[in-house]
């Protein structure tokens, strides 16, 4: 199963995306900010990172760069 980390600060969008991805068979862990996503990336294996670009504390660009 493909494991996806979803970083999205908008609650309704995060819930919608997580439900939609789970409905088609993906395993999804969702967080509300980049600073919450980074430790998960470092300690758990994910196949894909989906991130919003504009988020508080750490934007999606910085998160993607630090995740690489």
């Amino acid at each position: 199963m493909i494991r996806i980390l979803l970083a999205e600060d908008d609650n309704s969008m995060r819930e919608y995306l997580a439900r939609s991805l789970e409905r088609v068979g993906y395993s999804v862990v969702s967080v509300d900010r980049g600073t919450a996503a980074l430790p998960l990336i470092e300690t758990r294996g994910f196949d894909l990172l989906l991130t919003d670009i504009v988020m508080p504390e750490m934007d999606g660009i910085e998160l993607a760069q630090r995740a690489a």
Side-chain angles (χ1 to χ4, degrees):
M1 177 176 292
I2 293 178
R3 295 165 297 168
I4 298 173
L5 177 57
L6 171 63
E8 168 61 65
D9 63 326
D10 181 278
N11 289 335
S12 59
M13 181 60 75
R14 185 175 61 254
E15 291 171 7
Y16 169 76
L17 289 170
R19 275 194 319 270
S20 297
L21 291 165
E22 288 168 345
R23 207 173 293 133
V24 295
Y26 296 109
S27 172
V28 180
V29 173
S30 62
V31 295
D32 63 352
R33 60 193 185 282
T35 54
L38 198 56
L40 295 175
I41 291 168
E42 294 170 348
T43 60
R44 298 170 62 180
F46 290 96
D47 300 301
L48 179 66
L49 169 65
L50 292 179
T51 182
D52 187 359
I53 297 298
V54 179
M55 292 185 292
E57 299 176 18
M58 178 187 301
D59 65 37
I61 301 283
E62 182 181 354
L63 174 59
Q65 289 172 334
R66 292 178 69 176

